[in-house]
């Protein structure tokens, strides 16, 4: 496997279900990100982890719970979601998350989530 | 202040033509302006990026033009090819505060007709 991988690629869940999205990066990076991509809207940053520590939470509802056990893996735990949470969830990684310079972000293919 | 406005929302160009996508921003502290290309079923990939100390950057058929006084930047795709058909996103961020935080435009869906 190379780059950033995400599983599953597609997920349909009911509003009372609990599911998890998984992201793995094979680039040796130290920062990982979750984005939400909805139709006709800009990509929205949800969470950032830098060296396994959460450094950004962009006012995301608590029904989304991230977990970063190590620099290569990132999870997004989902529970009691709403239909408006249906979207493409993208994971990305970069060398670091720094206030001194810009590091290119590499995106995975995303998980297409449908909440019924 | 944090928004990046992108236009047009969609664009159809004939093969060999020039595709132009525009973005405007308000926050003068932004100092990094990347463009991402996204094909269906794939995540966005960095295409080209510019910093405000230059007015133009060219990589192959792709050129970013940057107008600091107007707070605008644009992507030009010369000799557009059907393989360029994708969604393009502009973005902006700033050094010195959450540098990794990219503010994205709404995206432009480009279709290049053979």
């Amino acid at each position: 496997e190379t780059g950033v991988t995400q599983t599953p690629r597609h997920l349909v869940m009911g509003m009372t279900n609990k599911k998890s999205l998984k992201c793995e990066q094979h680039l040796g990076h130290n920062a990982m990100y979750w984005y939400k991509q909805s139709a006709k809207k800009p990509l929205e940053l949800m969470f950032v982890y830098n060296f396994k520590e959460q450094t950004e939470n962009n006012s995301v509802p608590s029904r989304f719970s991230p977990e970063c056990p190590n620099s290569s893996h990132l999870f997004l735990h989902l529970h009691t979601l709403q239909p408006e949470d249906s979207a493409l969830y993208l994971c990305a990684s970069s060398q670091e998350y720094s206030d001194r310079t810009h590091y290119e972000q590499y995106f995975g293919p995303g998980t297409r989530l449908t909440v019924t | 202040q944090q928004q990046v406005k992108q236009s047009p929302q969609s664009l159809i160009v004939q093969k060999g033509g020039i595709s132009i996508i525009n973005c405007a921003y308000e926050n003068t502290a932004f100092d990094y302006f990347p463009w991402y290309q996204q094909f269906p079923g794939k995540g966005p990939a960095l295409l080209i990026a510019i910093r405000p100390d230059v007015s133009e950057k060219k990589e192959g058929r792709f050129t970013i033009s940057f107008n600091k006084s107007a707070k605008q930047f644009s992507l030009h795709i010369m000799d557009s090819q059907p393989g360029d058909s994708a969604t393009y996103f502009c973005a902006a961020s700033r050094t010195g505060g959450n540098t990794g935080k990219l503010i994205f435009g709404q995206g432009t869906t480009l279709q290049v007709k053979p």
Side-chain angles (χ1 to χ4, degrees), chain B:
Chain B
Q1 269 273 324
Q2 284 290 84
Q3 279 188 324
V4 176
K5 295 184 179 179
Q6 183 172 346
S7 62
Q9 188 173 316
S10 62
L11 183 60
I12 299 175
V13 173
Q14 290 295 127
K15 179 182 175 182
I18 302 173
S19 304
I20 302 174
I21 305 170
N22 301 298
C23 284
Y25 63 96
E26 289 295 324
N27 189 345
T28 55
F30 287 147
D31 60 0
Y32 176 70
F33 303 90
W35 284 90
Y36 283 81
Q37 179 188 55
Q38 184 177 24
F39 292 106
K42 304 282 188 182
L46 180 66
L47 185 63
I48 186 173
I50 197 169
R51 297 178 189 274
D53 52 345
V54 296
S55 60
E56 186 175 283
K57 183 175 182 179
K58 185 175 181 179
E59 289 184 5
R61 295 184 294 109
F62 300 90
T63 299
I64 300 180
S65 297
F66 184 80
N67 186 330
K68 189 173 182 178
S69 60
K71 293 184 284 186
Q72 295 176 346
F73 58 110
S74 59
L75 176 69
H76 296 238
I77 306 175
M78 312 300 287
D79 187 26
S80 298
Q81 300 296 312
D84 297 329
S85 298
T87 301
Y88 293 81
F89 295 92
C90 63
S93 72
R94 65 181 181 94
T95 311
N98 301 330
T99 295
K101 188 171 185 176
L102 289 169
I103 308 299
F104 284 88
Q106 299 94 319
T108 296
T109 302
L110 171 65
Q111 182 184 357
V112 181
K113 290 195 167 184

Side-chain angles (χ1 to χ4, degrees), chain A residues 20-91:
Chain A
S20 295
L21 310 184
K22 178 183 176 182
C23 175
E24 184 173 2
Q25 58 93 3
H26 310 266
L27 300 168
H29 288 163
N30 296 298
M32 297 189 77
Y33 310 72
W34 280 117
Y35 285 88
K36 177 182 180 182
Q37 186 175 26
S38 305
K40 305 286 191 278
K41 293 177 74 173
L43 273 75
E44 300 172 56
L45 180 66
M46 300 175 71
F47 302 103
V48 181
Y49 279 81
N50 196 36
F51 294 92
K52 301 189 297 180
E53 297 296 319
Q54 189 180 121
T55 54
E56 286 278 341
N57 177 338
N58 209 25
S59 303
V60 181
S62 59
R63 58 186 183 270
F64 295 91
S65 176
E67 179 190 0
C68 188
N70 54 61
S71 292
S72 298
H73 293 87
L74 185 65
F75 295 89
L76 188 62
H77 304 298
L78 316 170
H79 64 97
T80 59
L81 294 191
Q82 305 298 310
E84 60 264 30
D85 296 323
S86 298
L88 181 69
Y89 288 86
L90 291 162
C91 174

Side-chain angles (χ1 to χ4, degrees), chain A residues 3-19:
Chain A
V4 180
T5 58
Q6 291 186 242
T7 55
R9 296 293 309 276
H10 300 271
L11 179 62
V12 179
M13 60 186 289
M15 290 191 285
T16 58
N17 290 161
K18 289 184 180 181
K19 296 286 184 182

